[in-house]
Amino acid sequence: TEEDIQKILSVPDIKEYNIAYDIDQSFMVKNLDKLTDIGKKYYINKVYYDEKTDSYIDATDYSIRILLLENDSFNKYIKENNINPKKVGNKGILVDTVTYEDNKKTIVNRLTNYKVGEEIKGLLADKEFKIQISNILDKQPKGYEGYNNIFLILNKEYYQDLNPIVSTITLKTDDADKLEDNLEKLNLELHISNISKIAKEFKSIILIYSIFLYGFITVITLIGITNIFNTITTNMTLRQKEFATLKSIGVTKKEF
């Protein structure tokens, strides 16, 4: 609720925040021609996979996720992307990229072929909904980085009638652990993801693996060096009589 949001934002040491809202309806679009080849393979086929026939069913529509940003959060988002607020207004910002690795290269492809100025038309709660695209970006809002969805970003101020539901609140602070403790003390039904803690745990895991890996390499190297030394020493010992014979027939030190 808005009351809960205010409680969260009143917690000390919050330097910056972003609030995103979802809606409880799906925005279904029937124009499949607006999907790129990547979009059809990556987006549609996965949704319409039929386990019984082990095949993909021809889709007739696809969903676009509508994401509403609180006014200040929306303005921060468009400012970060160098967009003039006057050109956006109640229009939508389309984010339709998918990012993946291919042969150690990061590939970014679009899922649709919409252009700036075009309208996206579809059904929202069985009612026609259309909106003009003001900008097309490849950068998701804070809290949604890495999501390979088709997003339609709107300013919540213009779309209160869509009954927005709080989805994600992203907070920035200098002491993430302290902030997490303060949020838990609010006794609200929150799912808290402490990115700083996750990063530390991930680094710890990498450190443990690195110690094990380099330790293993060091042990194998030492074993190898020891084996070489032992082989040469043993070989020299076993050939003492041969070396003595060579010396007895006049082989010089240089020749030896």
Side-chain angles (χ1 to χ4, degrees), residues 94-121:
L94 183 66
V95 181
D96 63 351
T97 54
V98 57
T99 304
Y100 57 92
E101 297 291 328
D102 186 16
N103 294 326
K104 297 182 179 180
K105 293 182 180 178
T106 301
I107 308 297
V108 179
N109 282 315
R110 289 190 60 193
L111 297 170
T112 75
N113 52 30
Y114 282 105
K115 297 179 182 179
V116 172
E118 285 187 317
E119 281 189 337
I120 301 178
K121 299 178 182 179

Side-chain angles (χ1 to χ4, degrees), residues 8-9 12 27 35 38-39 42 51-52 66 68 72 82 101 109 129 143-144 178 184 193 198-199 213 215 230-231 246:
I8 292 171
L9 298 183
F27 180 35
L35 286 174
I38 293 292
Y42 190 91
E51 293 183 352
K52 293 181 179 179
I66 293 180
L68 305 170
D72 289 342
N82 299 315
E101 297 291 328
N109 282 315
F129 182 78
Y144 293 86
K178 183 179 179 181
E184 289 177 345
S193 294
I198 294 172
L213 178 63
N230 286 339
T231 301
L246 290 173

